[in-house]
Amino acid sequence: MTDNTWLDRWDERYSNDEFAYGTQPNNYLKDQLQKLEPGSILFPAEGEGRNAVFAAQLGWQVSAFDISSEGKNKALQLAESNNVTIDYQVGELQTLNFQEEQFDAIALIYAHFPAEIKSSIHKMLDKYLRKGGYIIFEAFSKKHLELVLKNEKVGGPKDIGSLFSIDEITSDFPNYDIIELIETEIELNEGLFHNGTGSVIRFVGQKK
């Protein structure tokens, strides 16, 4: 079940007029999506829709979900202003009616689920990706903890369990050809809440 304080946090963050992480797509997602032929794509924990809207502009058939109805409202507003449509559901993954092998790609962009469920969410998502489909992933690594403690403006979880390691990704997605899997420091400039040097895991894998 969703912890209400967790839900309240995201509803509060997304209820402002300004977009928490901006309206432009994440740079890594942008680079990787442009290498692929458009098909159907799922965006978990999609928040205010900046990445989903970008994918729709490229011609992808976009599905997204988040626990925050405020996030959905902002995402649909952004989609309308860009003349695209996205299918956006509110709820936890296990309550949504996605089909096995429904998607050609799944994009996990700063999809930081609570530590105790993050691996099970990844394994659930894997079922919804067809063979030959792609995972595109960027999120904060465990080394990010010391960076966010120095600079809160860079954002990200402050508990080590919600952050990722390369080992966790290889364990969560064992049946993938690894196109890229790296831990690296990047400069973030995304809206109000991702600003400064962050340590991230970047992963692109193709399902065997």
Side-chain angles (χ1 to χ4, degrees), residues 140-148 160 163-164 183 199:
F140 291 118
S141 81
K142 293 192 186 296
K143 287 181 187 169
H144 183 71
L145 188 58
E146 60 191 75
L147 298 175
V148 72
I160 199 85
L163 299 165
F164 294 98
E183 183 169 10
S199 177

Side-chain angles (χ1 to χ4, degrees), residues 33 37-41 52-62 84-85:
L33 266 194
E37 280 290 313
S40 57
I41 188 168
V53 167
F54 173 75
Q57 289 174 305
L58 290 182
W60 289 80
Q61 181 185 342
V62 176
V84 294
T85 56

